[in-house]
Amino acid sequence: MKKPAYILGIESSCDDTSASVICDAKVLSNVVANQEVHSKYGGVVPELASRAHQQNIVPVVQQAIEKANITKEKLSAIAFTRGPGLMGSLLVGTSFAKSLALGLEIPLINVNHMQAHILAHFINDNENKTPPFPFICLTISGGHTQIVKISNYFEMKILGETIDDAVGEAFDKSAKILGLPYPGGPLIDKHAQLGNPKAFPFTKPKVGDLDFSFSGLKTGILYFIQKQQRINPNFIEENLDDICASIQYTIVEILMEKLKNAVKKTGIKHIAIAGGVSANSEIRKRLQLAEKHFGWTTYIPKLEYTTDNAAMIAITGYLKYLNKDYSDVSVTAKARLKVTE
């Protein structure tokens, strides 16, 4: 009988410090320390983020190991986020993972954060179905908007991506225009559920079949709000739910249109979503409807595996561990890293 593999995953790419222990593909613990410090600045402050990671990393890893009900001596390997992300934040996780792997004399495994978002679908939680190869994944987060074809765990091809802002930025910047606090995406979602999505039509940017552009939409929203406020200074307060519903409807329409194009081009009807913005209720609803309307099979991850978390790093580490795809201790963090690297 094969020995179970215990993988410790460490995630520190942005503003959340997270550690997770998985046994084979099952999550035993997934601890996340959020950083409240950024909300008053309206965005993540890199210097403050890396300092908070330094404070959080030891207690978070300790808690993850304790919650998993094992000792650190039982660990088979340590997986960590190499990139993409904020350089200072990545360095904290990278240095800690290297030191711990050296101290325990176990393999070190570097993980691409964007691949991990996609491979979170392979966490065995007895609830969610896992997609068969090949499948298409819409990866949507604060920094990325991509349509990726997944032929194998580590064989990925970008079919289309954003040429400017990512979808998460489109939500957050629209929220800022409306005077909503950071992070604004979840607040737009909340208000949108009470509003009329067809109240205010916004123009969709014209780019290639599979590529995205959100900066023009954001500018269009800004000009629209400024114009309405000249007529009625209370326009936002009086119409907040409808404005949020209309913004969300337009963004989700753009995403769905591109997915339809990707299905047409590839003939692949297994569609997954990944990344922080895949927590959005409208995207989830529309994907479920697509199963009925277009005959797709859709794969929607559990909410706790959509935002930055270490369980997705651990599952990717586990899949690499099976291939003996280990890292040398000289491996360095990389702020920019494509999903295919």
Side-chain angles (χ1 to χ4, degrees), residues 233-248:
N234 301 322
F235 177 74
I236 293 177
E237 294 83 68
E238 289 169 13
N239 299 279
L240 186 60
D241 294 342
D242 285 351
I243 301 166
C244 288
S246 302
I247 291 170
Q248 181 158 286

Side-chain angles (χ1 to χ4, degrees), residues 23-337:
C23 178
D24 297 333
K26 275 196 176 326
V27 175
L28 303 182
S29 64
N30 190 27
V31 178
V32 183
N34 304 107
Q35 297 179 6
E36 302 298 325
V37 67
H38 306 286
S39 56
K40 62 179 173 191
Y41 298 103
V44 176
V45 182
E47 177 62 31
L48 295 178
S50 43
R51 273 190 228 165
H53 283 303
Q54 285 175 321
Q55 290 161 353
N56 293 337
I57 196 152
V58 173
V60 164
V61 169
Q62 181 80 26
Q63 217 181 326
I65 292 170
E66 281 170 12
K67 271 194 171 175
N69 216 3
I70 61 161
T71 60
K72 60 184 185 300
E73 286 71 27
K74 260 202 155 164
L75 293 171
S76 315
I78 294 170
F80 70 96
T81 304
R82 183 188 177 204
L86 301 173
M87 197 59 181
S89 296
L90 291 167
L91 285 171
V92 177
T94 305
S95 320
F96 186 87
K98 282 184 187 181
S99 311
L100 194 56
L102 276 171
L104 294 171
E105 297 181 334
I106 55 175
L108 177 72
I109 299 167
N110 83 77
V111 170
N112 179 320
H113 181 86
M114 295 312 296
Q115 288 181 0
H117 269 305
I118 296 168
L119 296 174
H121 282 279
F122 296 93
I123 290 170
N124 177 5
D125 63 2
N126 298 327
E127 282 176 48
N128 287 15
K129 50 186 197 272
T130 53
F133 300 115
F135 67 95
I136 283 170
C137 189
L138 173 67
T139 310
I140 39 180
S141 67
H144 295 84
T145 305
Q146 294 176 333
I147 295 176
V148 187
K149 179 186 170 190
I150 323 294
S151 304
N152 213 311
Y153 293 125
F154 298 104
E155 196 187 321
M156 304 184 181
K157 185 186 178 193
I158 298 169
L159 302 178
E161 61 189 331
T162 182
I163 56 170
D164 43 57
D165 286 2
V167 66
E169 290 173 294
F171 273 116
D172 286 340
K173 286 175 180 176
S174 300
K176 199 173 182 181
I177 293 165
L178 300 175
L180 297 172
Y182 175 86
L187 292 172
I188 287 189
D189 191 2
K190 200 173 144 192
H191 284 287
Q193 290 175 46
L194 307 167
N196 170 12
K198 305 276 179 76
F200 307 109
F202 294 111
T203 309
K204 289 184 220 151
K206 287 181 172 40
V207 280
D209 283 353
L210 300 177
D211 286 326
F212 300 88
S213 167
F214 290 104
S215 72
L217 174 66
K218 177 201 68 195
T219 309
I221 291 164
L222 175 66
Y223 289 164
F224 168 77
I225 296 294
Q226 286 173 340
K227 185 183 168 189
Q228 295 303 322
Q229 280 184 310
R230 283 195 292 270
I231 303 162
N232 171 12
N234 301 322
F235 177 74
I236 293 177
E237 294 83 68
E238 289 169 13
N239 299 279
L240 186 60
D241 294 342
D242 285 351
I243 301 166
C244 288
S246 302
I247 291 170
Q248 181 158 286
Y249 174 78
T250 309
I251 291 174
V252 176
E253 274 287 290
I254 293 166
L255 297 175
M256 291 305 294
E257 253 169 46
K258 302 295 181 178
L259 271 180
K260 281 185 234 169
N261 292 344
V263 171
K264 212 179 281 177
K265 277 206 158 138
T266 60
I268 298 166
K269 287 192 171 186
H270 290 277
I271 311 294
I273 51 167
V277 183
S278 63
N280 180 280
S281 67
E282 184 65 16
I283 291 167
R284 290 173 166 248
K285 193 171 88 190
R286 292 290 294 277
L287 268 181
Q288 281 158 343
L289 286 172
E291 293 207 310
K292 293 190 194 95
H293 290 318
F294 314 123
W296 299 356
T297 309
T298 59
Y299 304 85
I300 300 169
K302 259 183 155 175
L303 279 173
E304 66 250 45
Y305 304 140
T306 56
T307 49
D308 292 350
N309 69 91
M312 68 182 198
I313 304 302
I315 187 71
T316 309
Y318 170 66
L319 295 167
K320 284 187 149 193
Y321 178 78
L322 295 180
N323 290 342
K324 292 192 166 46
D325 185 0
Y326 307 147
S327 301
D328 192 77
V329 79
S330 63
V331 66
T332 52
K334 272 191 91 173
R336 290 178 178 273
L337 204 59

